[in-house]
């Protein structure tokens, strides 16, 4: 019978992947750098595969290392869940969380399921509003935590996921070929709207805003019905949508940065537990499938964007 994997080694492995450095990982797990290096050698021996490879003077995760990282996160999370189930000091109380509805649709099921299993005595109160409203709620003390679209001008948030922002149209219509592009956007203060308008102006494309709404459901309906095109982060793609790229004459958009904002709260331990669950959940959520039948779909651009989002950071020397 094979010996089980060492959870301490897996925790150190995750710390290296998250910090991008053996040195910083050693500080995070409260070990010496030599001890961290020894742990990784033993983990590689146990797995029977190399987990790191040289890239110039840096180390980076190998393909096998990428595969192990997903399993390691799940094992560490299950370990926390198990300990929490038998903890007499488990968290109790209520926490108020806010998120835009497009993130709620894609991310909340995973976040709520993971958090509820580990903290069954914590009640979640969820508010769905656009990011500007959530930022105000945080400032006024109406929310304990918010999952927002990061914007340097709106206040500081901890970026926990980065995705490409994409031009989208209906897979069943040629809306993007119209001489004057019909657009569906969020409200005028939406940073995705401003970014899209800037790119359209640079492209010299004529457009008119046909639909304005803070509701992701309304925007998606306008796109899927062929009435308009829009811009969405990769997580918000839905079946029946087609991604437009350079082959269709559409310029690149800035990345969408998804962040966590914390409010003033009397229960910081619950907020930090939920923030950790959100970060771990977003690491494990995959990209939704999109239509692949469209002839001019820019696979190369989307593949490169996905690579930018999922590629681990180079890891500093430490062996």
């Amino acid at each position: 019978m094979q010996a089980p994997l060492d959870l301490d080694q897996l925790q150190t492995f995750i710390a290296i992947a998250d910090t991008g450095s053996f040195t910083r990982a050693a500080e995070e797990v409260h070990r010496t750098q030599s001890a961290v290096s020894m742990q990784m050698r033993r983990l590689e021996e146990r797995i029977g595969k190399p987990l790191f490879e040289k890239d110039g003077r840096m180390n980076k995760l190998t393909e096998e290392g990428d595969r192990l990282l997903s399993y390691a996160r799940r094992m560490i999370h299950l370990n926390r869940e198990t300990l929490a189930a038998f903890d007499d000091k488990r968290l109790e109380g209520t926490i108020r969380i806010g998120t835009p509805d497009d993130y709620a649709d894609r991310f909340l099921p995973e976040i709520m399921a993971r958090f509820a299993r580990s903290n069954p005595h914590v009640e979640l109160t969820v508010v769905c509003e656009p990011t500007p409203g959530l930022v105000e709620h945080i400032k006024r003390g109406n929310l304990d935590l918010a999952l927002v679209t990061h914007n340097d001008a709106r206040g500081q948030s901890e970026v926990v996921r980065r995705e490409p922002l994409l031009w989208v149209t209906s897979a069943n219509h040629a809306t993007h070929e119209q001489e004057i592009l019909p657009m569906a956007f969020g409200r005028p203060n939406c940073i995705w709207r401003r970014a899209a308008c800037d790119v359209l102006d640079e492209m010299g494309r004529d457009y008119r805003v046909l639909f304005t709404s803070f509701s992701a459901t309304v925007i998606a309906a306008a796109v899927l019905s062929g009435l308009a095109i829009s811009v969405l982060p990769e997580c918000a793609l839905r079946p029946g949508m087609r991604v437009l790229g350079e082959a269709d004459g559409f310029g690149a958009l800035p990345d969408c940065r998804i962040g966590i904002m914390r409010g003033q709260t009397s229960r910081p331990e619950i907020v930090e537990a939920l923030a950790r669950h959100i970060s771990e959940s977003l690491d494990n959520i995959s990209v939704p499938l999109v239509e692949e039948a469209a002839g001019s779909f820019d696979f190369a651009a989307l593949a490169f964007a996905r690579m930018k989002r999922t590629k681990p950071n180079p890891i500093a020397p430490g062996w």
Side-chain angles (χ1 to χ4, degrees):
M1 180 178 178
Q2 290 185 330
L5 291 170
D6 187 305
L7 290 179
D8 284 338
Q9 292 175 3
L10 294 179
Q11 186 72 69
T12 300
F13 174 69
I14 292 171
I16 294 171
D18 287 345
T19 64
S21 165
F22 276 59
T23 301
R24 291 196 295 272
E27 295 172 355
E28 188 166 304
V29 299
H30 307 291
R31 295 179 184 273
T32 64
Q33 188 170 316
S34 60
V36 165
S37 297
M38 179 61 71
Q39 278 190 309
M40 293 305 96
R41 289 195 185 96
R42 289 175 177 170
L43 183 58
E44 286 187 325
E45 291 172 359
R46 182 68 190 84
I47 294 294
K49 302 284 185 182
L51 302 176
F52 305 93
E53 61 185 358
K54 287 288 185 181
D55 183 12
R57 297 180 59 189
M58 309 293 287
N59 290 293
K60 66 177 183 180
L61 291 179
T62 62
E63 184 177 345
E64 290 80 8
D66 278 338
R67 289 175 55 201
L68 177 62
L69 185 59
S70 172
Y71 288 108
R73 291 192 192 281
R74 285 151 56 189
M75 292 176 69
I76 293 299
H77 179 74
L78 182 59
N79 179 66
R80 289 192 187 125
E81 266 189 29
T82 303
L83 293 174
F86 294 93
D87 186 4
D88 291 335
K89 298 180 181 178
R90 57 195 171 195
L91 297 178
E92 296 183 356
T94 300
I95 185 170
R96 303 161 300 173
I97 176 175
T99 177
D101 61 347
D102 41 6
Y103 296 163
D105 182 54
R106 182 63 183 157
F107 298 141
L108 269 191
E110 174 73 11
I111 292 169
M112 294 173 70
R114 289 169 65 97
F115 188 73
R117 285 195 298 267
S118 296
N119 303 279
H121 295 274
V122 175
E123 177 186 346
L124 289 179
T125 298
V126 181
V127 174
C128 286
E129 285 191 22
T131 290
L134 297 176
V135 172
E136 287 302 312
H137 281 311
I138 287 286
K139 290 178 178 178
R140 294 172 183 173
N142 298 329
L143 289 175
D144 301 303
L145 185 147
L147 188 65
V148 300
T149 301
H150 180 83
N151 182 347
D152 295 330
R154 285 184 183 146
Q156 197 64 26
S157 69
E158 174 192 351
V159 176
V160 292
R161 186 177 175 103
R162 187 185 296 266
E163 295 194 350
L165 190 61
L166 304 168
W167 298 100
V168 292
T169 187
S170 167
N172 301 312
H173 301 81
T175 314
H176 63 288
E177 296 178 0
Q178 295 183 28
E179 185 176 350
I180 300 177
L181 297 174
M183 306 301 303
F185 286 139
R187 291 179 176 179
N189 60 349
C190 172
I191 61 172
W192 300 344
R193 173 175 177 156
R194 292 201 299 268
C197 290
D198 288 344
V199 173
L200 288 172
D201 291 338
E202 291 173 5
M203 292 162 47
R205 292 294 298 267
D206 291 329
Y207 66 93
R208 63 190 178 100
V209 179
L210 195 60
F211 296 97
T212 295
S213 177
F214 66 82
S215 169
T217 301
V218 171
I219 299 298
V223 171
L224 292 170
S225 64
L227 294 175
I229 68 174
S230 188
V231 291
L232 293 174
E234 194 176 49
C235 66
L237 297 179
R238 300 188 183 188
M241 288 182 177
R242 174 185 171 192
V243 175
L244 300 168
E246 292 183 2
D248 304 289
F250 286 82
L253 292 160
D255 282 349
C256 165
R257 293 175 293 170
I258 302 171
I260 293 175
M261 292 191 74
R262 295 167 174 81
Q264 297 296 322
T265 176
S266 60
R267 300 301 304 273
E269 69 279 7
I270 301 182
V271 171
E272 290 308 313
L274 180 56
R276 184 177 66 246
H277 276 267
I278 290 174
S279 181
E280 292 175 352
S281 295
L282 297 193
D283 277 338
N284 291 328
I285 291 176
S286 60
V287 175
L289 296 175
V290 296
E291 292 292 328
E292 299 187 358
S296 59
F297 181 85
D298 193 352
F299 288 105
L302 184 54
F304 178 71
R306 288 178 178 173
M307 180 181 69
K308 286 197 303 179
R309 178 178 56 79
T310 60
K311 190 71 172 175
N313 291 328
I315 297 169
W319 283 66

